[in-house]
Protein backbone atom coordinates (compact mmCIF):
# COMPACT_ATOMS: atom_id res chain seq x y z
CA UNK A 1 0.00 0.00 0.00
CA UNK A 2 1.37 3.41 -1.01
CA UNK A 3 0.76 6.40 1.29
CA UNK A 4 0.83 9.83 -0.32
CA UNK A 5 2.59 12.44 1.77
CA UNK A 6 3.80 16.04 1.81
CA UNK A 7 6.08 18.12 4.00
CA UNK A 8 5.43 21.67 5.16
CA UNK A 9 8.26 23.36 7.05
CA UNK A 10 9.64 26.89 6.85
CA UNK A 11 13.11 25.72 7.92
CA UNK A 12 14.92 24.50 4.78
CA UNK A 13 17.25 22.15 6.68
CA UNK A 14 14.36 20.53 8.56
CA UNK A 15 12.40 20.11 5.32
CA UNK A 16 15.44 18.54 3.61
CA UNK A 17 15.95 16.15 6.52
CA UNK A 18 12.30 15.05 6.46
CA UNK A 19 12.42 14.72 2.67
CA UNK A 20 15.46 12.47 2.93
CA UNK A 21 13.73 10.23 5.46
CA UNK A 22 10.51 10.08 3.44
CA UNK A 23 12.37 9.08 0.29
CA UNK A 24 13.93 6.13 2.13
CA UNK A 25 10.54 4.66 3.02
CA UNK A 26 9.35 2.58 0.05
CA UNK A 27 5.63 2.92 0.80
CA UNK A 28 5.70 6.73 1.07
CA UNK A 29 5.08 8.69 -2.13
CA UNK A 30 6.23 12.27 -1.56
CA UNK A 31 3.96 14.67 -3.45
CA UNK A 32 5.60 17.92 -2.41
CA UNK A 33 7.75 19.93 -0.04
CA UNK A 34 6.47 23.40 0.86
CA UNK A 35 8.00 26.34 2.75
CA UNK A 36 4.70 27.47 4.25
CA UNK A 37 1.15 26.33 4.81
CA UNK A 38 -0.09 29.17 2.61
CA UNK A 39 2.18 28.04 -0.23
CA UNK A 40 0.80 24.49 -0.01
CA UNK A 41 -2.91 25.33 0.13
CA UNK A 42 -3.80 25.27 -3.56
CA UNK A 43 -1.84 22.11 -4.32
CA UNK A 44 -3.14 20.19 -1.32
CA UNK A 45 -6.70 21.31 -1.99
CA UNK A 46 -6.50 19.95 -5.55
CA UNK A 47 -4.34 16.92 -4.68
CA UNK A 48 -4.83 15.95 -1.04
CA UNK A 49 -2.37 13.64 0.67
CA UNK A 50 -2.96 10.92 3.22
CA UNK A 51 -0.09 11.90 5.54
CA UNK A 52 1.29 15.35 6.22
CA UNK A 53 4.51 16.23 8.04
CA UNK A 54 3.61 19.66 9.39
CA UNK A 55 5.79 22.16 11.24
CA UNK A 56 4.01 23.75 14.18
CA UNK A 57 5.53 27.23 14.21
CA UNK A 58 5.54 29.02 10.84
CA UNK A 59 4.90 32.60 9.71
CA UNK A 60 1.55 33.58 8.21
CA UNK A 61 -0.31 30.41 9.20
CA UNK A 62 0.85 28.04 11.94
CA UNK A 63 0.74 24.29 11.53
CA UNK A 64 -1.88 24.13 14.29
CA UNK A 65 -4.14 26.60 12.45
CA UNK A 66 -3.58 24.84 9.13
CA UNK A 67 -4.39 21.43 10.59
CA UNK A 68 -7.84 22.71 11.58
CA UNK A 69 -8.79 23.32 7.93
CA UNK A 70 -7.48 20.04 6.54
CA UNK A 71 -9.83 17.18 5.70
CA UNK A 72 -10.36 14.98 8.77
CA UNK A 73 -8.99 12.00 6.85
CA UNK A 74 -5.53 13.59 6.62
CA UNK A 75 -3.13 12.07 9.14
CA UNK A 76 -0.72 14.60 10.61
CA UNK A 77 2.73 14.29 12.10
CA UNK A 78 3.49 17.60 13.80
CA UNK A 79 7.17 18.50 13.72
CA UNK A 80 9.15 21.09 15.61
CA UNK A 81 12.67 21.83 16.76
CA UNK A 82 11.44 23.84 19.75
CA UNK A 83 10.32 22.36 23.06
CA UNK A 84 7.75 25.07 23.77
CA UNK A 85 5.95 24.34 20.48
CA UNK A 86 6.04 20.59 21.08
CA UNK A 87 3.87 21.00 24.19
CA UNK A 88 1.44 23.26 22.34
CA UNK A 89 1.31 20.85 19.43
CA UNK A 90 0.57 17.90 21.67
CA UNK A 91 -2.21 19.76 23.47
CA UNK A 92 -3.76 20.90 20.19
CA UNK A 93 -3.45 17.48 18.58
CA UNK A 94 -5.89 16.05 21.09
CA UNK A 95 -8.52 18.49 19.79
CA UNK A 96 -8.03 17.74 16.10
CA UNK A 97 -10.03 15.15 14.19
CA UNK A 98 -6.86 13.81 12.56
CA UNK A 99 -4.52 11.49 14.41
CA UNK A 100 -1.55 13.63 15.34
CA UNK A 101 1.79 12.99 16.95
CA UNK A 102 4.85 15.08 17.73
CA UNK A 103 8.26 14.23 16.26
Amino acid sequence: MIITTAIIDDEPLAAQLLEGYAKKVPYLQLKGVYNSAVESMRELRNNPVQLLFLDIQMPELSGIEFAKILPPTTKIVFTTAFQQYAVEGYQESTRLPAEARIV
Side-chain angles (χ1 to χ4, degrees), residues 8-17 34-35 55 57-58 81-82:
I8 304 174
D9 199 314
D10 65 321
E11 281 293 324
L13 291 177
Q16 288 174 354
L17 183 65
Y34 305 95
N35 296 321
D55 187 18
Q57 182 60 35
M58 295 182 288
F82 303 101

Side-chain angles (χ1 to χ4, degrees), residues 8-91:
I8 304 174
D9 199 314
D10 65 321
E11 281 293 324
L13 291 177
Q16 288 174 354
L17 183 65
L18 288 168
E19 182 179 6
Y21 289 144
K23 287 182 175 180
K24 290 178 182 178
V25 179
Y27 56 84
L28 289 181
Q29 182 180 30
L30 187 60
K31 293 290 193 173
V33 179
Y34 305 95
N35 296 321
S36 74
V38 173
E39 176 190 335
S40 73
M41 290 176 105
R42 174 179 282 158
E43 183 63 30
L44 294 180
R45 186 179 306 127
N46 294 332
N47 300 297
V49 295
Q50 296 166 296
L51 176 65
L52 185 60
F53 293 92
L54 183 58
D55 187 18
I56 294 172
Q57 182 60 35
M58 295 182 288
E60 297 182 279
L61 183 64
S62 77
I64 301 294
E65 294 166 332
F66 187 62
K68 292 176 183 177
I69 62 172
L70 290 169
T73 56
T74 303
K75 306 298 184 217
I76 301 166
V77 177
F78 284 113
T79 63
T80 186
F82 303 101
Q83 184 176 354
Q84 67 268 27
Y85 299 127
V87 172
E88 176 189 356
Y90 177 78
Q91 291 170 337

